[in-house]
Structure formats: structure tokens, C-alpha cells
């Protein structure tokens, strides 16, 4: 399996990142581990602050990231832990990814969700205010930050924030926090430039989170069970993890070199044709997996989840030169390939770095 990479769109500049001091919060998570490995590949001096890996197994542990970077285990709900990590890292660039990222868990743990996603972000930004060398801040939220009216057109960065469930509402609140801190503390000359970023449903190898479609597929298929699907008709903007990460990195570069023009909110979603129903995605995953894989409808009672949501990334395309490079078919190829290669005994870090290199090169 090779997937399809489109040979268009800008990419992060390794020369910019070489030697840069970067602090990544949430580096033990799925997206944070991919981000950390990419930064290390480009020669950045990477520090991280996060809880212990949220799953077993985890990409963080399998890739040996505790040995490759300055990894601190701590909770962003603890302002002293955040301040200590910021002082130790002395970052030039901050990428804030730490979060409670699961919709269904937010129904069970709403206070924890808001404490992490909202107050945790405030703790991070307050520590950032006291970091003398900091120049770029990227706060990662979610496409679910928008007030979802279930309409058929995509949401632009100027749409109002909202959220039906605790997770989505917490991300809308996080966007308001980022906007308030940007205007109140990070808008004067000599201060860091702050932007927020919103992506779609991110998938890829190394994700074992609960209540996510691809990890649920991998667990069931690895055990020889049919995949149980909750909402087969729900449409999501699926994208490979490398797609938004490339946008975050390109934006961080622009914040560093041209802060006034880029300190705002940005969408990094897939091409319009890659917003597909859950059933479409699962059918193609089980087809690629082989071995008689199948899926069935999970007819139990489930909490509300949005049935339709897309974001408009035209601003990122026009002003950053960013473009999605993997179509959805290629995204699923690469994801299944990652798990199959790992199942065959290959090293997780090597698989991940290989896919990053292929993505950078535009290999098909």
C-alpha cells in the first residue's frame, strides 16, 4: 500500500526549525507524538509537557520519545507544573496541544473536560506571558468549536463559537480564551504572536484512543471481530494527521516572521470531497484490512454527536499556501499500512518517520 499524495501545497521549512527551541504540550498523545517526531526530524530542540500516555499501547512509548526529547510528565491543570516546564524549556515556539479530546468522555467527565481544555489553556498562556524568548504560540482547538447548525456548507473562521456537548463547548470556550489573551496580552510589539487552529477528524497510525472510529476498527479487526459502528450516516471531514500538523508548523513559521498578519484563527480541513459518511470510511478500512473483515451496526443508546460538520480552509490555502496533500483514499491506505507494518513487527518510530518523509517528498 502506498496511498496517493498530491504534489501541491506548501510544507514546513526544515531550515527554519533546525535548532529552534519548541515546547509541545500534549506530546504523549497521538497528534502530539507525530508532531514531536516531525520536529525532531527537522532538527528542533523539543521539550514536552503532558500527562502519562493516555493509552496502552501508545505511539509516544513505542517510538521512545522519552529518550529523544526533554519529556516532562505533568498536568496543565496545575499552574506550577506549567510554569516550571515553560521556564525549563525557554521556548521560542509553543504548540499547545494538551487537551481532553474525546466527545463521549466529556459527557461522563464534564468538569475534567472544562478544567483541562479551558483552565489548562489559561495556565499555559499565563506561563507564556512570562517567557521572555517566546515568539510564536499555536493553540490547537477543534472544528467542533463552532456552533454547529448542521447546515450543508462549511464553517469559516468568523463563524460564532458554540457546542452542544461538553467537549465542543469547552473548545468554543478555549477559542474565546485564546482571542482574549491575544488581544489583551499578545498584541503589543515585542510580545509573542498567538494563533488558534482548528482541524477535522484526524486519523493515522499510532492512535489507540477509545471511542474513535479508526482505533475502534483496529482493535476489532486485530481481534478478528466485526467493527461495531454507532453512527454510520454521520458525515465527518476526515484527514490524515500529517495534514493539519503541516499547517500548524507553517503557521508557526509565519507567526515568527510576520506576526501581525497571522495572529488569528485558522482552519485546516480536508478537501470538500473527503467529507464522507462513517459507513463509507469503515467499509474501505475493512476492505483494505482483508482477512474477512466486516462491520455491523451498534444499535445501542448513544449520546448526541453532530451528524454533519465541515470547515472552510480557503484562508489557509490563499494566505499560507497550505493544501491537503493526501486524499481520503490515500489517508486510509497510509493508516491501515501503519498498523499492518506495526503488527508485522516494524519499529513504530521508523514507520512514522518513513511516512513523514514520504509526505514531505510527495511520494505516491
Amino acid at each position: 500500500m502506498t496511498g496517493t499524495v498530491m504534489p501541491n501545497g506548501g510544507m514546513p521549512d526544515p531550515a527554519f526549525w533546525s535548532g529552534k527551541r519548541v515546547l509541545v504540550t500534549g506530546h504523549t498523545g497521538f497528534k502530539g507524538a507525530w508532531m514531536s517526531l516531525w520536529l525532531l526530524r527537522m532538527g528542533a530542540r523539543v521539550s514536552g509537557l503532558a500527562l502519562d500516555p493516555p493509552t496502552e499501547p501508545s505511539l509516544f512509548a513505542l517510538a521512545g520519545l522519552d529518550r529523544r526529547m526533554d519529556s516532562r510528565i505533568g498536568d496543565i491543570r496545575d499552574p506550577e507544573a506549567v510554569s516550571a516546564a515553560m521556564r525549563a524549556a525557554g521556548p521560542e515556539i509553543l504548540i499547545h496541544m494538551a487537551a481532553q479530546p474525546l466527545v463521549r468522555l466529556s459527557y461522563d467527565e464534564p468538569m475534567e473536560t472544562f478544567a483541562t481544555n479551558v483552565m489548562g489553556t489559561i495556565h499555559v498562556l499565563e506561563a507564556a506571558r512570562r517567557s521572555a524568548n517566546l515568539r510564536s504560540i499555536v493553540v490547537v482547538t477543534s472544528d467542533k468549536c463552532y456552533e454547529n447548525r448542521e447546515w450543508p456548507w462549511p464553517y469559516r473562521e468568523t463563524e460564532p463559537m458554540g457546542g452542544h456537548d461538553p467537549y465542543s463547548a469547552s473548545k468554543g470556550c478555549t477559542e474565546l480564551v485564546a482571542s482574549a489573551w491575544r488581544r489583551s496580552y499578545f498584541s503589543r510589539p515585542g510580545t509573542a504572536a498567538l494563533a488558534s487552529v482548528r482541524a477535522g477528524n484526524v486519523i493515522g497510525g499510532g492512535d489507540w484512543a477509545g471511542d474513535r472510529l479508526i482505533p475502534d476498527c483496529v482493535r476489532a479487526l486485530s481481534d478478528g471481530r466485526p467493527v461495531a459502528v454507532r453512527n454510520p450516516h454521520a458525515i465527518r471531514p476526515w484527514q490524515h494527521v500529517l495534514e493539519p500538523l503541516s499547517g500548524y508548523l507553517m503557521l508557526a513559521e509565519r507567526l515568527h516572521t510576520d506576526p501581525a498578519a497571522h495572529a488569528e484563527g485558522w482552519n485546516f480541513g480536508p478537501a470538500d470531497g473527503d467529507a464522507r459518511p462513517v459507513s463509507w470510511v469503515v467499509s474501505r478500512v475493512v476492505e483494505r484490512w482483508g482477512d474477512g473483515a466486516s462491520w455491523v451496526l451498534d444499535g445501542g443508546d448513544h449520546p448526541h454527536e453532530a451528524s454533519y460538520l465541515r470547515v472552510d480552509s480557503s484562508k489557509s490555502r490563499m494566505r499560507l499556501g497550505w493544501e491537503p496533500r493526501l486524499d481520503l483514499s490515500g489517508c486510509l491506505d497510509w493508516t491501515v499500512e501503519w498498523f499492518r507494518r506495526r503488527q508485522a513487527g516494524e519499529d513504530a518510530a521508523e514507520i512514522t518517520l518513513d511516512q513523514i518523509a514520504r509526505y514531505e517528498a510527495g511520494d505516491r
Side-chain angles (χ1 to χ4, degrees):
M1 269 179 259
T2 58
T4 302
V5 182
M6 306 303 181
N8 60 339
M11 290 296 294
D13 179 8
F16 170 88
W17 291 98
S18 180
K20 285 287 191 304
R21 296 186 306 278
V22 185
L23 175 61
V24 179
T25 70
H27 68 293
T28 61
F30 160 58
K31 286 175 68 178
W34 275 86
M35 173 66 82
S36 298
L37 283 166
W38 199 348
L39 287 166
L40 290 166
R41 170 180 162 78
M42 293 190 292
R45 297 162 57 187
V46 187
S47 301
L49 173 68
L51 297 174
D52 285 317
T55 61
E56 173 56 45
S58 71
L59 178 56
F60 172 82
L62 292 174
L65 277 166
D66 58 332
R67 303 185 301 276
R68 296 170 181 255
M69 61 186 289
D70 178 15
S71 173
R72 284 178 172 245
I73 300 301
D75 194 331
I76 61 170
R77 292 174 295 180
D78 178 356
E80 293 304 319
V82 175
S83 295
M86 194 75 67
R87 287 193 301 269
E92 299 163 83
I93 297 169
L94 166 64
I95 302 176
H96 174 44
M97 307 180 78
Q100 193 296 92
L102 301 174
V103 172
R104 284 166 64 88
L105 180 60
S106 78
Y107 280 103
D108 297 328
E109 300 287 350
M111 292 177 62
E112 176 185 339
T113 299
F114 275 85
T116 301
N117 294 351
V118 182
M119 288 306 301
T121 298
I122 290 174
H123 296 155
V124 169
L125 295 181
E126 281 295 278
R129 289 176 58 196
R130 299 187 290 274
S131 186
N133 298 314
L134 194 57
R135 291 294 174 264
S136 302
I137 304 171
V138 177
V139 176
V140 179
T141 66
S142 168
D143 60 350
K144 295 176 180 63
C145 68
Y146 294 110
E147 180 63 41
N148 189 357
R149 296 182 172 89
E150 304 277 357
W151 57 30
W153 49 86
Y155 292 83
R156 297 167 295 178
E157 288 88 347
T158 54
E159 306 289 353
M161 300 294 105
H164 179 284
D165 56 87
Y167 169 78
S168 301
S170 76
K171 288 299 187 177
C173 290
T174 302
E175 284 285 349
L176 297 178
V177 165
S179 177
W181 259 250
R182 176 171 53 240
R183 290 183 287 183
S184 299
Y185 307 115
F186 295 108
S187 59
R188 297 184 299 276
T191 60
L194 188 159
S196 61
V197 293
R198 306 137 192 181
N201 277 44
V202 173
I203 63 177
D207 185 7
W208 284 279
D211 291 321
R212 280 189 188 152
L213 182 63
I214 298 301
D216 286 349
C217 288
V218 170
R219 277 186 287 269
L221 298 175
S222 297
D223 293 342
R225 295 181 285 108
V227 179
V229 177
R230 295 190 302 268
N231 299 302
H233 304 300
I235 296 174
R236 298 285 186 268
W238 310 97
Q239 59 190 145
H240 192 271
V241 61
L242 289 172
E243 302 280 38
L245 295 191
S246 68
Y248 304 168
L249 292 167
M250 291 173 65
L251 176 59
E253 294 173 17
R254 300 293 184 87
L255 289 170
H256 204 276
T257 58
D258 189 10
H262 297 92
E264 52 194 49
W266 299 82
N267 289 337
F268 295 97
D272 290 346
D274 287 338
R276 294 279 191 169
V278 168
S279 58
W280 189 96
V281 172
V282 176
S283 295
R284 279 145 186 84
V285 169
V286 299
E287 176 185 334
R288 286 161 170 78
W289 194 271
D291 297 338
S294 63
W295 68 272
V296 296
L297 178 65
D298 181 353
D301 292 329
H302 306 291
H304 173 273
E305 294 184 64
S307 62
Y308 195 81
L309 177 64
R310 288 192 297 133
V311 294
D312 183 337
S313 303
S314 56
K315 184 173 82 168
S316 295
R317 292 184 174 93
M318 290 186 293
R319 291 174 53 188
L320 294 178
W322 174 87
E323 287 277 358
R325 294 166 70 87
L326 273 171
D327 63 14
L328 182 54
S329 179
C331 171
L332 296 174
D333 283 350
W334 282 34
T335 301
V336 173
E337 175 199 290
W338 195 103
F339 283 107
R340 281 301 212 182
R341 288 174 65 180
R342 177 60 196 163
Q343 195 177 52
E346 292 190 48
D347 179 77
E350 292 305 314
I351 304 168
T352 306
L353 291 168
D354 173 60
Q355 291 195 338
I356 292 171
R358 286 158 51 195
Y359 184 79
E360 291 174 329
D363 289 351
R364 293 179 180 272

